[in-house]
Amino acid sequence: MTSNVLIVYYSQSGQLKEIIDKTTAVLLQDAEINLSTYKIEMEEEFPFPWDFYSFFNAFPDSFLQKPHKIKRIPADILNQKYDLILMYYQVWFLSPSIPINSFLQNQEAKQLLNGSRIVTISGTRNM
Ligand SMILES: Cc1cc2nc3c(=O)[nH]c(=O)nc-3n(C[C@H](O)[C@H](O)[C@H](O)COP(=O)(O)O)c2cc1C
């Protein structure tokens, strides 16, 4: 029986994406796993590379877990039921990053996550 698995992530430098690629390679080889990927997109993207002020200005909203606007989740991702959701996130200022916090507090995301089994995988500095 085929299982639907969704990868949810956000990545700036590609470091977290590299962790995703390494940890999901085995799933790609399994004919019974239908793997989809959704990258969280911010309405207003954070700069990369970071400048000094943007970096430290991200501190309050990171720490307070204040959401920013994210782009709408594509309909083909939203309208599918997943047996498993792999949620990859990075840490900003000892808290889940603003993109991940924004996703978790988004109404469409709540609909997407509702009723699915979820595994979270965290990547932090130089992992
Ligand atoms: C604004 C900001 C704050 C960060 N704060 C922390 C932190 O408190 N602890 C930590 O271990 N790493 C911290 N990091 C490092 C990130 O967690 C790490 O670089 C992560 O892998 C970034 O993934 P990405 O570049 O694929 O988005 C921070 C990075 C940024 C950009």
Side-chain angles (χ1 to χ4, degrees):
M1 200 180 79
T2 309
S3 298
N4 284 332
V5 178
L6 176 69
I7 297 168
V8 173
Y9 80 105
Y10 171 83
S11 181
Q12 274 197 313
S13 68
Q15 197 176 62
L16 195 60
K17 183 67 171 66
E18 209 180 309
I19 293 172
I20 295 167
D21 292 343
K22 291 225 166 95
T23 52
T24 58
V26 66
L27 302 182
L28 277 173
Q29 288 161 11
D30 191 327
E32 299 209 331
I33 293 179
N34 184 15
L35 194 61
S36 309
T37 302
Y38 159 63
K39 183 182 180 199
I40 298 163
E41 305 268 6
M42 305 307 295
E43 281 281 358
E44 202 175 317
E45 191 49 275
F46 291 95
F48 190 80
W50 289 82
D51 58 85
F52 180 86
Y53 286 105
S54 302
F55 186 83
F56 287 105
N57 278 340
F59 170 69
D61 289 356
S62 300
F63 190 73
L64 296 171
Q65 302 188 11
K66 202 173 147 201
H68 290 203
K69 278 202 172 136
I70 63 169
K71 290 189 182 163
R72 294 203 63 180
I73 300 172
D76 59 323
I77 296 288
L78 198 57
N79 296 330
Q80 180 77 250
K81 260 289 155 212
Y82 297 97
D83 302 292
L84 180 66
I85 296 178
L86 302 174
M87 207 177 79
Y88 288 80
Y89 73 98
Q90 61 283 85
V91 167
W92 286 6
F93 300 108
L94 305 181
S95 307
S97 68
I98 291 174
I100 278 291
N101 271 319
S102 305
F103 170 77
L104 286 171
Q105 295 178 62
N106 176 275
Q107 217 37 55
E108 285 184 340
K110 286 180 186 174
Q111 181 189 329
L112 179 69
L113 298 178
N114 189 26
S116 289
R117 284 182 294 176
I118 302 165
V119 173
T120 55
I121 303 106
S122 172
T124 44
R125 193 176 309 282
N126 294 334
M127 279 178 73

